[in-house]
Amino acid sequence: MLEYEIKERGSVQVIRFFGSIGVGDAHRIKEALFQLPVGNTQLVINLGVSFITSEAIGHLIYIYKRYREKGGKMVLCNLSQSVRQVLEITRLDKLLPLVDSEEAAIAMLTEKI
């Protein structure tokens, strides 16, 4: 079963997912993402799951696009090898920023250019 927690780290919202995203769990991603404050523009999704469905990937893409439209940024981190492979095979790693750790994701979002 998929579980999650939402935390704030400075100006960045962090959602940490745990467990496995099975066929009936994709709605939990949507539920978590829609709990975020409307004005937030920096999001880290710590995707510490062992499996992900196409429906869950669809929710991630939707949120990524929504953040970009509002001038925000979103980064995925802590992906298992199997989840990373799915994103690479589907070439979504070219669309969605991926980093290894939550700290690297936060640093990417908060660095001044």
Side-chain angles (χ1 to χ4, degrees):
M1 175 166 181
L2 180 67
E3 295 183 38
Y4 65 89
E5 66 181 6
I6 300 174
K7 299 214 175 215
E8 203 169 298
R9 298 222 7 219
S11 63
V12 178
Q13 286 291 139
V14 178
I15 300 181
R16 293 182 184 131
F17 290 100
F18 307 94
S20 182
I21 301 173
V23 174
D25 291 325
H27 73 283
R28 301 264 304 152
I29 285 185
K30 187 176 181 180
E31 172 187 296
L33 296 173
F34 283 96
Q35 285 185 28
L36 296 173
V38 175
N40 181 46
T41 58
Q42 298 182 93
L43 174 63
V44 170
I45 298 180
N46 186 327
L47 205 54
V49 299
S50 55
F51 177 79
I52 191 166
T53 64
S54 58
E55 183 182 5
I57 291 171
H59 293 318
L60 293 174
I61 293 168
Y62 172 78
I63 290 296
Y64 174 76
K65 287 181 177 181
R66 194 171 104 183
Y67 267 72
R68 286 209 39 201
E69 288 170 359
K70 294 182 178 194
K73 299 177 188 175
M74 180 183 104
V75 179
L76 298 177
C77 68
N78 194 27
L79 291 106
S80 68
Q81 184 177 357
S82 60
V83 171
R84 185 177 285 272
Q85 284 177 337
V86 167
L87 295 177
E88 289 171 354
I89 289 168
T90 57
R91 302 191 45 83
L92 289 172
D93 62 323
K94 306 299 183 212
L95 172 69
L96 303 170
L98 311 177
V99 296
D100 290 332
S101 70
E102 191 172 298
E103 290 74 24
I106 291 169
M108 177 186 278
L109 291 174
T110 58
E111 70 183 15
K112 305 286 186 227
I113 298 175

